[in-house]
Amino acid sequence: MPHINIKHFPGVTQQQEVSLVEGITALLCDTLHCDAGAVSIAMQAVSSQKWQEEVVQKEIESATEQLVKKPNY
């Protein structure tokens, strides 16, 4: 606990990924008072052509009651 699944457009560099994972892990540990070893983070690149179908329809529109921050598109 906790697990984060991040979907993003392709092009994230290795350094960006490392920085993002380190920052999110630190924030989760500080906010939820958990050990860094308990945090898991998955990252998946999704092309802009598939974003609507793979992310918006499957994960955003179908789960609006679970979203704590909604996109403005």
Side-chain angles (χ1 to χ4, degrees):
M1 183 307 272
H3 173 73
I4 304 288
N5 189 355
I6 300 170
K7 304 246 183 347
H8 58 85
F9 286 162
V12 173
T13 67
Q14 178 81 25
Q15 182 54 45
Q16 288 172 317
E17 184 175 300
V18 168
S19 180
L20 182 62
V21 168
E22 288 176 353
I24 289 172
T25 300
L27 181 61
L28 288 170
C29 292
D30 184 53
T31 304
L32 300 179
H33 309 288
C34 64
D35 184 81
V39 175
S40 58
I41 300 173
M43 292 186 64
Q44 179 183 355
V46 179
S47 71
S48 59
Q49 294 84 4
K50 293 185 178 183
W51 190 262
Q52 182 69 28
E53 177 187 349
E54 294 293 320
V55 178
V56 174
Q57 292 174 1
K58 288 183 179 178
E59 297 194 28
I60 296 173
E61 292 176 348
S62 68
T64 56
E65 68 281 350
Q66 295 175 359
L67 292 176
V68 295
K69 186 200 177 299
K70 297 178 182 180
N72 60 358
Y73 53 81

